[in-house]
């Protein structure tokens, strides 16, 4: 499988576990905590696999960028967090950074 697709999957799983933290009640609820830890482990594993072919700095920045962007968007859409023009512009800058890192990685 393509390392970039693996990295995308790792980033999507990061969105899932980071969002899931909201439901753990500070790790006091067992089932959500176990689910979050399992998803986080899989996300980290896929990140490590992707780093076999993608430079570490690029892979980590893209992974965390996917997570940050996704969690911010879910916060706006599902949890009614603020959606100011400035906030949306900064989210767009994260997306631009992700695209730039992918583009600048060359053949990786």
């Amino acid at each position: 499988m393509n390392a970039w697709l693996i990295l995308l999957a790792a980033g999507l799983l990061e969105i899932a576990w980071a969002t899931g933290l909201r439901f753990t009640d500070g790790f006091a609820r067992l089932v959500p905590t176990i689910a979050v830890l399992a998803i986080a482990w899989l996300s980290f594993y896929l990140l490590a696999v992707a780093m076999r072919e993608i430079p570490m700095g690029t892979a980590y920045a893209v992974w965390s960028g996917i997570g940050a962007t996704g969690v911010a968007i879910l916060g706006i859409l599902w949890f009614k967090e603020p959606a100011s023009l400035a906030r949306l512009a900064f989210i767009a800058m994260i997306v631009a950074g992700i695209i730039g890192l992918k583009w600048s990685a060359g053949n990786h």
Side-chain angles (χ1 to χ4, degrees):
M1 184 181 245
N2 183 314
W4 286 100
L5 291 177
I6 292 170
L7 184 58
L8 175 62
L12 294 174
L13 288 169
E14 186 193 1
I15 295 167
W17 72 256
T19 302
L21 286 172
R22 183 178 180 111
F23 303 102
T24 67
D25 192 27
F27 296 117
R29 297 180 60 213
L30 182 62
V31 173
T33 296
I34 291 170
V36 163
L37 292 174
I39 294 167
W41 180 87
L42 183 56
S43 178
F44 282 113
Y45 173 76
L46 291 176
L47 172 62
V49 170
M51 283 184 183
R52 291 177 185 162
E53 294 184 32
I54 300 171
M56 177 185 64
T58 300
Y60 181 75
V62 169
W63 175 78
S64 61
I66 291 169
T69 300
V71 171
I73 291 170
L74 286 180
I76 291 167
L77 296 176
W78 288 357
F79 301 110
K80 308 300 183 217
E81 294 178 359
S84 68
L85 184 57
R87 190 163 192 223
L88 295 174
F90 288 118
I91 291 170
M93 285 185 220
I94 294 170
V95 171
I98 293 167
I99 292 168
L101 285 167
K102 164 64 171 106
W103 176 75
S104 67
N107 293 331
H108 291 282

